[in-house]
Amino acid sequence: VMPALTNPRNFMSFGSKAYFVAVSSDLTPALYSFTPARVAQGTASLVKAFNTSKWIDVWGLTADNGSMFFKVGEQCSGGFVNSVVRSDGTLEGTVDLRGIDRCAGFTVIDTSTTVVSKEPGIVPTGSRKPSITLWSIIFLGVLPMMLLASFILIRKKCPGMFLNNFYGFGLAVILVYIIAENEHGESIITFLKWFITIYTSLAYLTISLASLLVHPLPKLVEEMKDWIMVFAGVPFFVMMHIDLQIPVTDDAWRWILYNVVIVVQMLISIIVGRTLPMVLGAICTFVTSWKISYEIVVAIFGDNNMSSFQVLVLLGFMALQGIGIIVGAIVYASKRAKIEDVAEARFCGVLESSLLRSVREEPLPLATHHLITASVPWRVGLPTVFGMLRQSNSTTPESSHQLGGSFLGESACAIWRASLLRPWMLLRVVLPSGIDDSGIA
C-alpha cells in the first residue's frame, strides 16, 4: 500500500469507500480510505492525520446513523485523555466532539501526587488513592471471609480454612499499609519483602513450638500442618532467596546465613513431621553446592568467564556434592533408629547429670518437686518415681541426692521416649503434699 503504512486495522465500509486506521512511515496515526478502483493500484488516501506530539493512538472505527466514529488518545500534561471523533469521510467533516483543545479541561494540581479533572470521562494518571475502596475490601470482603472460614474451621473441623485466615489476615495488613502510606509507592516493595518474610517465619515458628510443647497435638491442628507447610513454607522459601539475593550475591555473610536457614528448615521438618520443609532444604543444599563448585572453578582457573570446559568442571563438582547429599540421606534413612537411640542416650546422660547437680545444690524436699516431663500426660512410671523418692528420705543425704537425681533422670528419659523421641522438655512444679500413688494418673 502506498504510502507505506504499518499496523492497519479497523477496516470498515462506509458509503462508496472503505476506511481503516494505520500508522504512516513517520509514526503518525491517521484515518485512511480507498476505493475499489484504487485497490488494484495499492494506494490509499489520507483522510486525517493526528500529530504524534499531541495524539498517541487512534482506534475503534465504527459507523452509526450515517457517520463514522472512532477514538483518539491524547497525552496531556500529567494525564491521558480519551476523546471521540465523528467523521463523514472527509477532512473537513472529521470533528473531535470534545473540541479543539482536549487538554483545556484538565487541571494539574501536583503531577506527582494528585490530578483533578474538571470534565467527566478524563482518566488522570495520578488519581487519588482509593482509600474508601480499600477499606471496603477489608470490611466487606476480607473480614467476612475470615469470620466464615473461622466458623467452618472450628465447627466443621476443616483444616483447609487455614488458607483463608492466613492469607486473609496478610491481605488485610497489606491493604492497611497501602492506605496509611503517604509516599508514592516506592516503599511498598520493601514492606512486602519484610512482611512476607516475617509473617511466614511466624507461621513456621508457631507450628514448630506447638509440635514441641504439645503432644499429641489436637487432630485438627495436626491436619493443618499440611496446609501450613505449603502455604507458609513455600512463600518463606521464595522470600529467603529474594531477601538474601541468592544465588546472585557474592557476600559471604548472605551465604552463611542462607545455610543457617537451610538447617533450620530441615529441623522444622523433623519437628513437625512433614516432608516439604526437608525437600525445600534439600533444594537449597543444591544451590549451595553450585556456589561451592563455582568458587572452586574460579579458584582453579583464575577467572569467571565460564568457558565450556569450566562449565563441565563446575557440573562435575556439583555432581560429586549431589552424590554426597544423596548418600547422606540414604544412610540417615537406613540407620535412623540407631541415630535417634544414640541421641536419646546422650540426652538422658546430660539430663541426669544436670539433675544430680541440681539436687546437690538444694535440699532434697524442694528438689523432688522439680520433675522434668515432656508435654505428654503424666503416665510414664511416675508412681514408681514418687515411691522411690519417698524411700530416699530414709537414706543418707548423699544417697538421697544420688537416688533422687537418678530417678528424676530416668523418669524424664522414659517420658521422652514416650513422646516420640522429642528431646524438648518443660519444667513443671509438683506440690509436695497430698500426692500418693493413687493420685497420679
Side-chain angles (χ1 to χ4, degrees), residues 5-70:
L5 302 176
T6 58
N7 193 24
R9 58 195 183 278
N10 299 141
F11 288 88
M12 185 192 68
S13 176
F14 182 75
S16 61
K17 298 181 180 179
Y19 293 85
F20 65 98
V21 175
V23 179
S24 63
S25 58
D26 60 355
L27 303 181
T28 301
L31 176 66
Y32 291 90
S33 69
F34 60 86
T35 61
R38 305 191 67 174
V39 171
Q41 303 174 3
T43 59
S45 301
L46 174 64
V47 177
K48 182 174 180 61
F50 302 92
N51 192 306
T52 55
S53 64
K54 293 283 290 183
W55 302 93
I56 63 171
D57 201 5
V58 180
W59 74 99
L61 187 60
T62 185
D64 182 65
N65 197 26
S67 298
M68 288 187 298
F69 298 89
F70 57 93

Side-chain angles (χ1 to χ4, degrees), residues 196-274:
I196 296 175
T197 302
I198 295 174
Y199 191 45
T200 54
S201 300
L202 288 176
Y204 255 159
L205 178 63
T206 302
I207 194 62
S208 298
L209 289 177
S211 300
L212 290 176
L213 304 180
V214 181
H215 182 79
L217 282 172
K219 181 181 178 181
L220 177 60
V221 178
E222 188 68 33
E223 293 175 347
M224 285 173 58
K225 285 183 180 179
D226 297 324
W227 294 85
I228 296 173
M229 292 303 102
V230 174
F231 294 104
V234 173
F236 176 82
F237 170 79
V238 174
M239 292 309 302
M240 63 183 281
H241 289 84
I242 296 175
D243 294 338
L244 297 175
Q245 302 175 15
I246 302 296
V248 298
T249 183
D250 291 325
D251 296 334
W253 71 269
R254 294 181 186 271
W255 283 100
I256 294 173
L257 182 58
Y258 179 71
N259 283 273
V260 171
V261 177
I262 292 175
V263 175
V264 171
Q265 271 196 313
M266 292 182 172
L267 289 177
I268 290 174
S269 177
I270 297 172
I271 292 171
V272 302
R274 293 298 184 271

Side-chain angles (χ1 to χ4, degrees), residues 48 84-88 90-99:
K48 182 174 180 61
V84 177
V85 176
R86 181 178 60 195
S87 176
D88 61 0
T90 64
L91 176 60
E92 295 76 10
T94 303
V95 180
D96 193 314
L97 299 183
R98 285 190 176 276

Side-chain angles (χ1 to χ4, degrees), residues 137-370:
I137 293 173
I138 294 174
F139 287 106
L140 300 181
V142 177
L143 290 184
M145 176 197 70
M146 293 180 63
L147 292 174
L148 179 60
S150 299
F151 175 80
I152 297 175
L153 178 67
I154 296 172
R155 296 296 298 271
K156 301 300 182 180
K157 309 299 182 183
C158 182
M161 293 299 101
F162 162 82
L163 174 62
N164 298 69
N165 284 324
F166 185 71
Y167 280 0
F169 180 80
L171 177 60
V173 173
I174 293 172
L175 291 178
V176 170
Y177 176 84
I178 294 174
I179 294 171
E181 186 208 21
N182 293 324
E183 299 179 15
H184 315 314
E186 294 86 351
S187 63
I188 186 66
I189 301 300
T190 302
F191 169 78
L192 288 177
K193 287 171 59 177
W194 280 101
F195 174 70
I196 296 175
T197 302
I198 295 174
Y199 191 45
T200 54
S201 300
L202 288 176
Y204 255 159
L205 178 63
T206 302
I207 194 62
S208 298
L209 289 177
S211 300
L212 290 176
L213 304 180
V214 181
H215 182 79
L217 282 172
K219 181 181 178 181
L220 177 60
V221 178
E222 188 68 33
E223 293 175 347
M224 285 173 58
K225 285 183 180 179
D226 297 324
W227 294 85
I228 296 173
M229 292 303 102
V230 174
F231 294 104
V234 173
F236 176 82
F237 170 79
V238 174
M239 292 309 302
M240 63 183 281
H241 289 84
I242 296 175
D243 294 338
L244 297 175
Q245 302 175 15
I246 302 296
V248 298
T249 183
D250 291 325
D251 296 334
W253 71 269
R254 294 181 186 271
W255 283 100
I256 294 173
L257 182 58
Y258 179 71
N259 283 273
V260 171
V261 177
I262 292 175
V263 175
V264 171
Q265 271 196 313
M266 292 182 172
L267 289 177
I268 290 174
S269 177
I270 297 172
I271 292 171
V272 302
R274 293 298 184 271
T275 306
L276 182 59
M278 186 68 72
V279 172
L280 298 177
I283 295 174
C284 294
T285 59
F286 280 99
V287 176
T288 300
S289 71
W290 169 85
K291 178 62 175 178
I292 294 173
S293 302
Y294 176 82
E295 295 298 334
I296 292 174
V297 170
V298 172
I300 293 174
F301 293 95
D303 60 66
N304 58 355
N305 294 329
M306 287 297 139
S307 62
S308 299
F309 180 71
Q310 288 175 304
V311 171
L312 289 176
V313 175
L314 184 146
L315 294 176
F317 281 118
M318 286 190 65
L320 291 175
Q321 294 178 80
I323 292 173
I325 294 171
I326 295 172
V327 170
I330 294 174
V331 170
Y332 174 78
S334 62
K335 299 184 177 181
R336 179 176 179 179
K338 183 177 180 180
I339 294 173
E340 291 178 345
D341 288 342
V342 172
E344 175 186 0
R346 292 199 175 191
F347 168 76
C348 290
V350 172
L351 179 61
E352 184 171 340
S353 299
S354 175
L355 288 169
L356 284 172
R357 287 194 301 270
S358 175
V359 297
R360 288 192 184 101
E361 294 171 357
E362 57 181 310
L364 181 61
L366 180 59
T368 57
H369 305 159
H370 298 276

Side-chain angles (χ1 to χ4, degrees), residues 61-141:
L61 187 60
T62 185
D64 182 65
N65 197 26
S67 298
M68 288 187 298
F69 298 89
F70 57 93
K71 296 179 181 179
V72 292
E74 181 178 354
Q75 183 66 48
C76 299
S77 176
F80 185 76
V81 178
N82 292 331
S83 185
V84 177
V85 176
R86 181 178 60 195
S87 176
D88 61 0
T90 64
L91 176 60
E92 295 76 10
T94 303
V95 180
D96 193 314
L97 299 183
R98 285 190 176 276
I100 300 176
D101 188 0
R102 298 286 62 80
C103 294
F106 198 70
T107 303
V108 179
I109 297 177
D110 184 351
T111 57
S112 63
T113 57
T114 306
V115 180
V116 178
S117 173
K118 293 181 180 178
E119 299 184 24
I122 298 180
V123 183
T125 57
S127 58
R128 289 183 180 274
K129 186 187 303 179
S131 299
I132 296 178
T133 301
L134 296 178
W135 282 118
S136 300
I137 293 173
I138 294 174
F139 287 106
L140 300 181

